[in-house]
């Protein structure tokens, strides 16, 4: 009889648990849907790339929704068993309330193990893959944001003009860049040639200038200026992520496996931290 009760309760838990996972995951995903849709419609990002981003985000969502869904399922099933007087009938048949808790505890242990696998083994590689895919999208947006004989404002407080762009969109000729990041200092860079370089490991895109000059003007009074010739000059372009929240640089430990975490902890311990 004990196994029959276990199978019966576990079968009752399956439907509300599955519905809870679906509903809670939907609420978490819907917050990203607008940003993902904007990437496809307004930014021209391929649909498959955006779908892969959503797939990389799912494990982090499921690690949150599984415990919440189990809690809701336990409350619903426990309430229904009590309302339909099934608990009373089982007690009258000699089944103790503690024995009735076994299938609930079993379900909790299974969900705990699944969440542990997701958190410890699945999330680090998927987070790394998500950041890599996001960088590829931002890289393509940076490359397409530079057009011939057009003043481009696709890079935040940078305005970029290029006379000629190579077919690979890497080599550039006749560059003019206005840097307005500092309200007190206006910087204009003019260069004969330039190159667009990408550093995937550090998620960085660099604009490299060759043979040019930089003019800096104090905007507070406009009377002080500095003119500098250079043969080589580089500038990191800002990559504005379409997603809000913590970035990889703010929480790098999320991308580390258990072995990497142990190595980093040992290194910090050796430094007295």
């Amino acid at each position: 009889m004990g196994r029959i009760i276990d199978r019966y309760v576990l079968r009752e838990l399956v439907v509300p648990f599955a519905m809870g996972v679906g509903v809670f995951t939907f609420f978490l995903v819907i917050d990203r849907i607008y940003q993902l849709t904007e990437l496809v419609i307004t930014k021209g990002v391929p649909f498959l790339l955006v779908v892969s981003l959503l797939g990389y985000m799912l494990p982090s969502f499921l690690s949150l929704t599984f415990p919440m869904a189990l809690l809701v399922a336990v409350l619903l099933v426990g309430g229904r068993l009590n309302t339909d007087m099934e608990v009373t009938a089982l007690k009258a048949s000699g089944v103790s309330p503690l024995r009735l808790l076994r299938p609930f505890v079993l379900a909790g242990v299974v969900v705990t193990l699944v969440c542990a696998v997701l958190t410890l083994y699945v999330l680090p590689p998927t987070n790394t893959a998500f950041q890599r895919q996001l960088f590829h999208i931002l890289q393509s947006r940076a490359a397409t944001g530079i057009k011939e004989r057009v003043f481009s404002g696709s890079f935040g407080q940078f305005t970029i003009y290029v006379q000629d762009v190579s077919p690979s969109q890497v080599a550039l000729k006749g560059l003019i860049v206005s840097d307005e990041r500092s309200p007190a200092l206006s910087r204009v860079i003019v260069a004969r040639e330039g190159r667009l370089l990408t550093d995937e490991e550090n998620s960085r895109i660099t604009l490299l200038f060759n043979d040019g000059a930089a003019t800096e003007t104090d905007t507070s009074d406009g009377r002080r200026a500095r003119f500098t010739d250079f043969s080589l000059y580089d500038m990191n372009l800002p990559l504005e992520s379409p997603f809000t929240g913590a970035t990889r640089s703010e929480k790098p430990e999320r991308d580390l496996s258990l072995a990497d975490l142990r190595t980093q902890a040992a290194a910090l311990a050796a430094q007295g931290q």
Side-chain angles (χ1 to χ4, degrees):
M1 183 177 179
R3 292 185 178 180
I4 296 177
I5 295 175
D6 292 342
R7 287 197 299 268
Y8 173 69
V9 174
L10 290 175
R11 194 163 52 242
E12 291 292 313
L13 285 172
V14 169
V15 174
F17 175 75
M19 291 181 61
V21 170
V23 171
F24 290 130
T25 304
F26 172 77
F27 282 131
L28 292 178
V29 170
I30 198 65
D31 182 48
R32 304 290 192 180
I33 289 296
Y34 171 76
Q35 297 160 325
L36 294 173
T37 305
E38 185 181 16
L39 284 177
V40 176
I41 297 176
T42 64
K43 307 299 182 182
V45 178
F47 178 73
L48 292 179
L49 288 181
V50 174
V51 171
S52 65
L53 280 182
L54 182 60
Y56 292 139
M57 287 189 290
L58 276 181
S60 62
F61 293 158
L62 294 178
S63 64
L64 297 175
T65 57
F66 277 0
M68 293 189 292
L70 179 62
L71 173 61
V72 172
V74 169
L75 292 175
L76 290 177
V77 172
R80 193 195 64 76
L81 291 176
N82 183 60
T83 302
D84 294 347
M85 305 298 290
E86 294 186 34
V87 176
T88 303
L90 289 171
K91 289 171 64 177
S93 302
V95 178
S96 69
L98 292 178
R99 175 62 184 79
L100 190 59
L101 286 178
R102 190 166 75 173
F104 294 103
V105 174
L106 177 62
V109 170
V110 171
V111 171
T112 300
L113 293 177
V114 172
C115 290
V117 171
L118 285 174
T119 303
L120 299 177
Y121 299 103
V122 178
L123 281 181
T126 54
N127 284 336
T128 302
F130 174 84
Q131 295 293 340
R132 187 182 301 113
Q133 188 76 295
L134 183 60
F135 176 74
H136 289 162
I137 291 177
L138 297 176
Q139 178 184 352
S140 65
R141 286 174 55 187
T144 56
I146 297 179
K147 297 181 174 60
E148 290 185 352
R149 299 175 177 85
V150 174
F151 286 93
S152 174
S154 304
F155 303 95
Q157 294 173 304
F158 291 92
T159 302
I160 300 177
Y161 175 87
V162 179
Q163 184 70 21
D164 295 305
V165 181
S166 68
S168 62
Q169 302 233 337
V170 174
L172 312 171
K173 292 185 178 181
L175 286 86
I176 302 176
V177 177
S178 175
D179 181 1
E180 303 294 338
R181 286 175 297 177
S182 173
L185 186 67
S186 176
R187 181 184 293 111
V188 176
I189 303 170
V190 180
R192 183 174 59 86
E193 293 181 348
R195 295 182 66 85
L196 199 62
L197 307 177
T198 59
D199 182 1
E200 184 174 341
E201 183 177 354
N202 297 310
S203 299
R204 185 169 56 197
I205 295 181
T206 302
L207 188 58
L208 184 67
F209 300 92
N210 294 322
D211 298 332
T215 304
E216 297 180 348
T217 306
D218 189 346
T219 58
S220 59
D221 55 15
R223 291 178 294 179
R224 288 184 295 178
R226 184 171 63 179
F227 184 83
T228 306
D229 287 323
F230 60 81
S231 58
L232 192 64
Y233 184 87
D234 63 83
M235 179 179 67
N236 293 328
L237 295 179
L239 296 178
E240 296 182 1
S241 173
F243 300 103
T244 56
T247 62
R248 182 178 182 179
S249 60
E250 292 170 340
K251 286 191 174 182
E253 69 277 1
R254 295 185 60 193
D255 299 341
L256 300 179
S257 64
L258 283 178
D260 294 334
L261 284 173
R262 292 191 186 100
T263 302
Q264 183 170 323
L268 293 175
Q271 299 173 9
Q273 300 185 34

